[in-house]
């Protein structure tokens, strides 16, 4: 997971952030879980705007790769240079494997991830070269 960094994802950052082709009679029975990841963008307002602009029209091949890999939902949020990504994936999914499936779907998927990687840097506390890290829940209110 340490190298989750938009080697998918996005992934994109990127990324991005894609559903696996489930057998038609099995689609409704898959149980999904949400995972949340964070990354910072590089310290450059122009680069941040480029990054946000790219995500206004994610390449169709990238979204097709997400679908092929089994992602149910990917949502990105940002505050200044902090990017938060919430993903919905099958319970127990191997995210590294999902990233490989997404990138293998089309060469543009790997190109997207490589491009988005140039806009990202790790948050405080990450290892050298580590970018996307999972944010673990520590409180939840349910009514």
């Amino acid at each position: 997971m340490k190298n989750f960094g938009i080697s998918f994802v996005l992934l994109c950052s990127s990324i991005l952030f894609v559903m696996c082709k489930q057998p038609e009679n099995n689609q409704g029975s898959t149980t999904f879980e949400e995972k949340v990841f964070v990354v910072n963008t590089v310290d450059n307002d122009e680069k941040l705007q480029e990054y946000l602009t790219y995500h206004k029209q994610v390449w169709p091949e990238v979204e097709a790769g997400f679908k092929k890999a089994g992602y149910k939902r990917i949502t990105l949020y940002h505050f200044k240079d902090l990017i938060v990504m919430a993903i919905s994936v099958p319970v127990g999914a191997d995210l590294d494997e999902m990233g490989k499936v997404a990138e293998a779907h089309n060469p543009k998927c790997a190109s997207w991830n490589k491009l988005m990687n140039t806009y990202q840097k790790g948050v405080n506390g990450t290892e050298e070269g580590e970018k996307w890290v999972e944010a673990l829940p520590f409180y939840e209110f349910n009514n």
Side-chain angles (χ1 to χ4, degrees), residues 2-3 10 13 30-31 38 40-42 46 52 54 56 64 77 84 90 95-96 110 114 132 134 137 139:
K2 287 186 178 180
N3 291 330
L10 5 18
S13 282
T30 302
T31 304
V38 295
N40 280 334
T41 56
V42 294
E46 186 176 312
L52 296 174
Y54 271 113
K56 288 180 181 176
Y77 305 87
V84 177
L95 298 179
D96 290 330
K114 186 175 180 181
W132 286 99
E134 187 171 3
Y139 172 80

Side-chain angles (χ1 to χ4, degrees), residues 70-104:
Y71 292 88
K72 173 101 173 139
R73 186 183 72 247
I74 300 174
T75 306
L76 295 174
Y77 305 87
H78 96 282
F79 174 75
K80 298 189 180 192
D81 65 344
L82 177 67
I83 306 295
V84 177
M85 176 176 62
I87 62 173
S88 181
V89 296
V91 172
D94 180 333
L95 298 179
D96 290 330
E97 188 59 35
M98 289 177 74
K100 291 174 187 173
V101 170
E103 282 197 348

Side-chain angles (χ1 to χ4, degrees), residues 113-133:
N113 289 338
K114 186 175 180 181
L115 176 62
M116 294 303 110
N117 192 46
T118 66
Y119 293 96
Q120 303 163 347
K121 68 177 186 175
V123 296
N124 286 342
T126 55
E127 306 272 331
E128 179 71 30
E130 185 177 29
K131 294 190 177 177
W132 286 99
V133 291

Side-chain angles (χ1 to χ4, degrees), residues 43-70:
D43 297 323
N44 181 312
D45 288 339
E46 186 176 312
K47 290 288 236 178
L48 171 60
Q49 289 310 309
E50 287 176 17
Y51 184 80
L52 296 174
T53 298
Y54 271 113
H55 284 87
K56 288 180 181 176
Q57 288 195 313
V58 174
W59 302 344
E61 298 86 353
V62 172
E63 290 186 338
F66 291 154
K67 184 174 181 179
K68 178 73 173 166

